[in-house]
Amino acid sequence: MKVNFTPPEELVLTPDFYSSIVRHASELITVLNCEGIYQYISDSIATELGYTPEDLLGTYVFDLIHLDDVPSLEQALYNLTTGSIKQVNLPPVRFKAKNDSWRWLSCVATNMLDNPHVQGIVTNSRDITTQMEASRQRKESQAYYKALFFNNPDLVFTMSTSGEVQACNDAVVKLSGYTREEFPKSHFAEFVLPDNREETFKAFSTALTGQPCNFETCIRHRDGSKRYLSAALVPVVLEGRVLAIQCIAKDSTSEKEANLLVNAQAKKLHKILEGMSEGFFALDKEWRYSFGNTVFANFLNRDLDDLMDLCIWEEYPILEGTLFKQKCLEVAETKKAVQFKEQFCDLSAFLQFTISPFEGGILIAFSNITAQVIAQEELRKLSLVASKTTNGVIITNGQLEIEWVNEAFCNVTGYTMEEVAGMRPSDILTSADTDPREIMWVREQLAKGIPMRKELRSYKKNGDLIWADVTISPISNEQGQVIKHIYIHTDITERKLDQEQLLKTTEHLYHQNQDLQQFNYIVSHNLRAPVANLVGLSSVLQKLDRNSSRFAKGLKNLEISARRLDDVISDLNKILAVRSSDLQAAHEIVLLSEVATEVVQSLQHLLTQANGRIMLDLKEDDLLWANRAFVYSILHNLISNAIKYKSSHRDLLIQVNSVRKDNSLQLSVIDNGSGMDLDLVRPHLFQLYKRFHTGPDGKGIGLYLVKMQMNAIGGKIEVESKPEAGTTFTLQFELPAYGPQGLHN
């Protein structure tokens, strides 16, 4: 479109022309003298501030400026009037309008003090109140946003519509462990744990539709630990389009972990209560069921959920007048726990209760002890019968603790009921010398719940030995659990002593029989030969000339046969002396080291001839309760044999030492002599007239006597030997030989 203007007449730039422009311009134009007094004000002041020019002429400009803006304005005018710059943009100032409101003005000041036509400071001002208010509102919005975003104690972050984290506050940095530099272009899913991603993506998709939503999630901290969040997604919408998603979240880790712990403890408590063999339920202050376990529901044959919130007294009117109701009311009033038993005929049950108070009501735990009461009654009847029997009777609980013994048991053992209550029968019915294998066997049978019978050796309260025939019978409940054991304790000490005496007699007869066989051997071999020689030589000598050499030779042979006969008779005397000795009368306290020293001294000349030495390692308090002559003979035989059968390849060394083991003394005689092949000689080692070396003279009676003498004093002998490796004789003196009734102690 083309606009045609009529050429105006040439303008005449008169003072009126300039005055008209200035007076009617939209900007406010003023002139201040050097003291800040208004000298001129344009008419536009009425439009901007409501004044007429006459209202302000002669007024001091700073009287109309807001006090907070005076310093900056003074400084700007000072710089304008003292510096070389003639024009400056003054900082925005608040100017008081005629209606007493404050209006923001933007001013440009020009120094025209040196202009003779003006002689003042010219200001061009315009009202920028609207812009300043808008700016203030923007700043306030930014301050609010900063407070809500950056200074928010909760987690706040902004995501793009694709899920990338664009900005976050300090709370996010602190909670996640990542820096702000690590967040740009990171997708939020990178921080969400796999198990929570599905729910998180679902919430994010909802926010993309423009709908805010709340959800729970769990993120991964930089150190790998978990952080639970309670989050809200808020879409940022402009003109109907979602520009971004803002997330505001609270750290619910402590709360979540506390809830998880509470839930875990609740589950654990529920599991414990469900695992209890006792019934358990709770009543609130209005006597309504608030909790119960399965045992409780099964006892009532009811569904647990159906019972909840029902009043117990309305649901079970049969409880009216019972001790149970009385105790419930008592606990609710006194807040003190009680325990009691009560029989319920309608339920055919005898129950044991524990009632305890808690903040919300009372807790009741109960167990059905009907079977126990019946068992106790049966036990009472059994105890009545057992108390009258002559055999000892012990009754224990399922843990083998003595609950009751009868009078016969007390009479036999010397213990009272009070002394044995709570003890185990094994503490009384076994002793230190009981074979551990027997104890183990008894325990295995008891563990299996198998009835058993065993002869056991123990001691009375006064220390006397007692043998008992013990029969143990387990008593089980309906579930097959052993709840009692019945011990029948029969004193068989007399019978066992008779058996032991019979065994000793049998053993004695056995040895007597062996002796008879040995005597028969001696008579038929060793004794017959020299006697026959004597008879024959006597007959021959009677026919010979006494002066002939044959007579002298025959007489010499007669002497040899007589000596051999004397040796055999001497051997018989030794053997008979061992068998016929009154062993108990011959027993005495024997100091082993003293006897061993005497033996060594008696054999010292043989040791010197054999270039041998002997080492005694015996203790001064090694005592034996034995026949001293036998002990001397045993050591003499063993040491003299070691000298006789020394090795020709080395100097003889004999060691005699003792070792204490429990209630016995072990004596060892060790040599480094020629030794023996035990595989060949063992069956005949301790037999009479058996020799195992071809060297020095020997009659084969020494070891036979050693064996007999060890048997006589209640000891045992063992031997270990190898050819050219020496021989070790080990003598074991058991308790009867070591010291009667604790002699050694």
Side-chain angles (χ1 to χ4, degrees), residues 309-371:
D309 295 326
L310 296 179
C311 177
I312 185 174
W313 313 130
E314 295 175 0
E315 193 67 15
Y316 291 99
I318 60 171
L319 296 175
E320 189 65 38
T322 60
L323 179 61
F324 171 77
K325 183 171 183 179
Q326 176 186 334
K327 292 296 182 181
C328 285
L329 297 173
E330 177 185 323
V331 171
E333 180 179 354
T334 64
K335 307 300 181 186
K336 294 181 180 179
V338 297
Q339 288 185 331
F340 63 96
K341 301 175 184 178
E342 186 171 8
Q343 183 177 8
F344 295 87
C345 298
D346 293 338
L347 299 175
S348 301
F350 206 110
L351 304 181
Q352 179 171 293
F353 292 96
T354 300
I355 304 179
S356 308
F358 78 104
E359 186 177 353
I362 60 172
L363 302 173
I364 298 103
F366 69 92
S367 56
N368 190 345
I369 59 172
T370 307

Side-chain angles (χ1 to χ4, degrees), residues 619-640:
K619 301 173 182 61
E620 292 184 0
D621 57 350
D622 284 344
L623 303 176
L624 297 177
W625 181 251
N627 185 304
R628 192 178 192 280
F630 285 0
V631 175
Y632 182 94
S633 175
I634 290 167
L635 290 176
H636 191 280
N637 271 302
L638 294 178
I639 295 173
S640 62

Side-chain angles (χ1 to χ4, degrees), residues 83-263:
S84 59
I85 299 175
K86 293 298 184 180
Q87 189 177 67
V88 296
N89 291 320
L90 299 178
V93 296
R94 282 163 286 187
F95 197 93
K96 179 185 271 188
K98 190 170 183 177
N99 62 2
D100 289 335
S101 65
W102 294 99
R103 306 293 293 180
W104 283 95
L105 299 180
S106 175
C107 302
V108 176
T110 305
N111 185 352
M112 299 182 70
L113 291 171
D114 56 354
N115 188 318
H117 300 290
V118 179
Q119 297 182 358
I121 298 173
V122 179
T123 65
N124 293 68
S125 306
R126 58 188 181 89
D127 190 347
I128 60 169
T129 303
T130 303
Q131 294 91 320
M132 291 298 289
E133 285 296 322
S135 176
R136 183 185 62 79
Q137 289 178 0
R138 284 196 301 273
K139 289 181 180 179
E140 286 185 358
S141 297
Q142 290 175 353
Y144 282 124
Y145 180 78
K146 183 177 180 180
L148 291 173
F149 190 94
F150 293 103
N151 298 332
N152 198 318
D154 293 332
L155 288 77
V156 182
F157 57 95
T158 304
M159 297 176 288
S160 68
T161 54
S162 61
E164 292 180 352
V165 179
Q166 296 176 326
C168 64
N169 67 353
D170 292 340
V172 175
V173 173
K174 183 178 179 181
L175 183 72
S176 66
Y178 294 94
T179 64
R180 279 195 175 82
E181 291 73 19
E182 293 172 309
F183 275 108
K185 297 184 179 180
S186 296
H187 197 279
F188 74 85
E190 297 177 20
F191 306 98
V192 179
L193 293 181
D195 292 344
N196 300 86
R197 285 178 184 170
E198 182 179 352
E199 183 180 358
T200 305
F201 273 109
K202 183 178 179 181
F204 187 76
S205 299
T206 301
L208 288 176
T209 65
Q211 299 295 321
C213 61
N214 299 315
F215 66 102
E216 302 288 331
T217 189
C218 184
I219 66 171
R220 181 191 69 254
H221 190 273
R222 187 168 189 169
D223 62 10
S225 60
K226 294 180 179 180
R227 295 292 188 273
Y228 292 94
L229 300 179
S230 178
L233 293 182
V234 180
V236 180
V237 181
L238 180 63
E239 297 179 354
R241 186 167 65 91
V242 176
L243 301 180
I245 304 294
Q246 283 217 324
C247 179
I248 303 174
K250 287 185 177 292
D251 180 8
S252 59
T253 304
S254 299
E255 180 182 348
K256 185 72 173 181
E257 289 178 346
N259 288 335
L260 290 174
L261 180 61
V262 169
N263 291 336

Side-chain angles (χ1 to χ4, degrees), residues 39-60:
Q39 300 296 310
Y40 171 80
I41 301 173
S42 66
D43 292 342
S44 59
I45 193 169
T47 305
E48 298 293 333
L49 300 172
Y51 294 105
T52 65
E54 290 75 16
D55 292 337
L56 299 183
L57 288 174
T59 304
Y60 185 51

Side-chain angles (χ1 to χ4, degrees), residues 601-712:
Q601 289 174 350
S602 69
L603 296 172
Q604 190 61 51
H605 65 289
L606 295 178
L607 277 170
T608 303
Q609 293 174 8
N611 194 26
R613 61 192 179 96
I614 187 166
M615 296 176 60
L616 297 180
D617 184 13
L618 303 173
K619 301 173 182 61
E620 292 184 0
D621 57 350
D622 284 344
L623 303 176
L624 297 177
W625 181 251
N627 185 304
R628 192 178 192 280
F630 285 0
V631 175
Y632 182 94
S633 175
I634 290 167
L635 290 176
H636 191 280
N637 271 302
L638 294 178
I639 295 173
S640 62
N641 278 351
I643 298 172
K644 277 183 188 178
Y645 305 114
K646 74 181 190 67
S647 173
S648 59
H649 304 293
R650 52 188 169 273
D651 291 341
L652 175 64
L653 173 63
I654 303 173
Q655 301 176 63
V656 180
N657 55 52
S658 63
V659 178
R660 293 177 183 173
K661 290 189 174 181
D662 299 328
N663 293 325
S664 66
L665 179 70
Q666 180 177 294
L667 180 67
S668 299
V669 180
I670 307 166
D671 67 62
N672 63 347
S674 56
M676 300 174 287
D677 187 347
L678 288 182
D679 292 336
L680 297 177
V681 306
R682 191 183 297 276
H684 313 290
L685 189 60
F686 295 106
Q687 291 185 4
L688 187 61
Y689 296 131
K690 296 293 181 179
R691 298 181 64 244
F692 311 108
H693 297 84
T694 58
D697 276 344
K699 297 187 293 183
I701 193 173
L703 290 182
Y704 176 76
L705 287 174
V706 168
K707 178 69 172 176
M708 287 184 63
Q709 289 163 342
M710 284 298 293
N711 289 340

Side-chain angles (χ1 to χ4, degrees), residues 488-506:
I488 305 300
H489 181 273
T490 305
D491 184 3
I492 58 170
T493 305
E494 234 179 273
R495 190 180 79 194
K496 290 296 290 186
L497 292 176
D498 290 344
Q499 289 177 351
E500 288 180 2
Q501 186 61 41
L502 181 60
L503 287 174
K504 288 180 180 179
T505 303
T506 303

